[in-house]
Amino acid sequence: MLRQSLIEYAKSLQATEAPTPVPQGTEVLLRVSHCGVCHSDLHLQDGYFDLGGGQKLDVRGNRPLPFTFGHEIAGTVEVTGPDARGASVGKRYAAYPWIGCGKCGLCQRGDEHMCNAPRALGVTVDGGYATHVLVPHPRYLLDVEGIAPEIAGPLMCSGLTGYGAIKKAVPYLRFGPLLIVGLGGVGMMGLQFARALTTAPILVADIDASKRKAALELGAKEAFDPADAGARKAIAKASGGGVGAAVDYAGSDKSFAFAHSVVAKGGAAIVVGLIGGSFTLPVPMFVLRALTVMGSYVGSMTEAREMLDLVKAGKIAPIPVEKRPLDATSRSLDDLRAGRIVGRVVITP
Ligand SMILES: [Zn+2]
Ligand SMILES: [Zn+2]
C-alpha cells in the first residue's frame, strides 16, 4: 500500500510504501476513497499544542514513525477478517476514527472517543492518507448511503465535533439564546445542527464579514464582529442579558475570553477549537455567575449515527470540496497552515 507519512516531526510528509495489511480476527481492510485534510493534523505534525504563555503540550506520545495521519476516512471494504461480521465487501462506509481500547469503563459505556488508551485512526494508529486503512472491527464502519462520499469522511471529524458541542449546549438554552463563536467549517456545521436541535435563537460571531453573511443565510438570527468594541453590549442586548450557551469553535485565548464573557447567569461556555492559548477567571466569578465551563471533544459513535441521520435528512447545506491526489497531502497541509484553503480539501488516494 502507498501512504503519505510523517518521518520526522515538524517536517513535510513523505511517500512511504508498506505491505498491505491482511485483516485478522474482526479486522476489516478499507480501500480508502476519500480522506479529509484537517487542521488538527497540523498540531500532530508539529508534535504539540500551544498552551499559551510559551507552554506546549507534547503530543508526540510514542507514535511509531513513519506514521500516517488522516482521520476523516471514507472507503469501500476490500477484505474482511474471518470474524468480521456485518461488513460487506464492496460496500461504502465512513470509518468512525475515535476508537478506544474497547475494554475500559469509558469504552464500555460508549465513550470510546474519550478512552485513555485510544486506537484512533490517523492519530494513534495509522490512518487514511494511504490507499488502505485497517479498521479493528466492523462496528466502526458507519453507513453513509445517500451522503456524498467526499464529505462522509470529514463528517466524522468536523461534523461530529460541530454536533457534539451543540448537544452539550442545548440544555443550557433555557438561560438564553445560543451563541456560536468562530464560523469556520466546524462552526458552520454546528450552526446547521443547532437549527435542527433547538428552536432557540442562534447568534453568531466571527471577525470575517463574509462568514457572518454566510451564517445569516444559513439561519443565524444576528451576527456580531468580536473585534468590534461594542459587540459584547450588542450581544447582551440581543440576548436579553446574556446567552444561555456560547460555543467557541475557534478555541483561542481571544475567542474564549469573548465567548465566556457574554454567557448569562446559569449558562455555559463550551470550548471546542484547539487554536491554543490560556484563560483566567477569578474563582468567585464561577460561583457568582453560576458559570459552567466545559470542553467538547469530537463525539461518541452514537452521536456520529445521530449526526449522519441529520445529514441524510438534508439538514446540512452542501460543503464545497476540492479533491486532490495522495501525493498532494503534504502540500495540502502546508496550504491549510498558510490559510490558502477555502472550503475543504479531501485526498483521493
Ligand atoms: Zn479532523
Ligand atoms: Zn477504553
Side-chain angles (χ1 to χ4, degrees):
M1 62 189 255
L2 301 174
R3 316 177 296 184
Q4 284 284 318
S5 311
L6 185 79
I7 309 287
E8 195 183 331
Y9 283 95
K11 293 277 164 66
S12 298
L13 307 184
Q14 305 278 329
T16 60
E17 225 180 311
T20 304
V22 178
Q24 311 290 316
T26 60
E27 291 173 346
V28 177
L29 183 70
L30 270 194
R31 175 72 178 84
V32 179
S33 64
H34 301 82
C35 185
V37 174
C38 177
H39 200 270
S40 64
D41 292 329
L42 302 179
H43 298 293
L44 298 172
Q45 185 181 29
D46 291 338
Y48 66 87
F49 284 100
D50 177 8
L51 300 180
Q55 302 288 308
K56 291 174 177 179
L57 174 69
D58 191 327
V59 289
R60 287 174 296 178
N62 31 26
R63 196 176 284 123
L65 301 180
F67 185 86
T68 307
F69 297 133
H71 53 267
E72 304 187 349
I73 306 164
T76 50
V77 173
E78 192 161 282
V79 190
T80 56
D83 306 319
R85 276 173 256 288
S88 339
V89 171
K91 190 171 152 71
R92 200 165 65 75
Y93 294 97
Y96 176 82
W98 316 110
I99 298 172
C101 70
K103 296 172 195 134
C104 72
L106 284 161
C107 288
Q108 294 287 312
R109 64 163 200 257
D111 287 323
E112 291 202 35
H113 60 302
M114 296 200 284
C115 177
N116 290 309
R119 297 177 291 164
L121 302 177
V123 179
T124 48
V125 302
D126 282 326
Y129 295 144
T131 51
H132 296 81
V133 72
L134 201 56
V135 178
H137 194 282
R139 67 198 214 89
Y140 301 113
L141 300 177
L142 302 183
D143 187 326
V144 287
E145 209 68 56
I147 295 175
E150 61 271 22
I151 71 151
L155 285 174
M156 288 298 116
C157 183
S158 54
L160 186 53
T161 302
Y163 179 78
I166 297 300
K167 259 196 94 174
K168 290 184 180 69
V170 167
Y172 293 89
L173 301 181
R174 67 186 190 278
F175 297 111
L178 175 66
L179 173 68
I180 290 175
V181 178
L183 297 168
V186 184
M188 287 292 189
M189 289 227 222
L191 165 61
Q192 295 174 80
F193 289 128
R195 291 203 67 212
L197 293 186
T198 176
T199 53
I202 303 165
L203 314 179
V204 295
D206 195 287
I207 49 172
D208 183 330
S210 64
K211 288 177 179 167
R212 293 198 299 272
K213 182 168 175 275
L216 290 169
E217 282 162 10
L218 286 173
K221 186 169 173 245
E222 256 185 276
F224 303 87
D225 178 359
D228 177 346
R232 291 175 199 210
K233 261 194 185 153
I235 289 176
K237 194 169 168 225
S239 59
V243 300
V247 180
D248 178 8
Y249 285 110
S252 70
D253 34 18
K254 268 192 186 151
S255 66
F256 198 66
F258 180 79
H260 91 75
S261 73
V262 294
V263 171
K265 201 178 266 191
I270 302 169
V271 60
V272 186
L274 283 165
I275 290 177
S278 63
F279 144 82
T280 57
L281 189 69
V283 173
M285 293 316 290
F286 287 93
V287 182
L288 298 173
R289 292 175 58 196
L291 174 67
T292 298
V293 170
M294 71 175 109
S296 183
Y297 177 69
V298 295
S300 67
M301 219 164 12
T302 304
E303 288 171 333
R305 290 204 181 87
E306 293 168 1
M307 180 269 306
L308 288 176
D309 284 345
L310 291 176
V311 177
K312 288 174 189 174
K315 302 291 187 191
I316 293 294
I319 300 156
V321 168
E322 183 192 341
K323 293 180 207 167
R324 295 184 182 180
L326 184 59
D327 61 8
T329 307
S330 203
R331 174 167 65 81
S332 302
L333 290 177
D334 294 345
D335 286 348
L336 195 61
R337 199 182 281 279
R340 288 191 293 262
I341 289 179
V342 182
R344 297 210 53 112
V345 166
V346 169
I347 302 299
T348 53

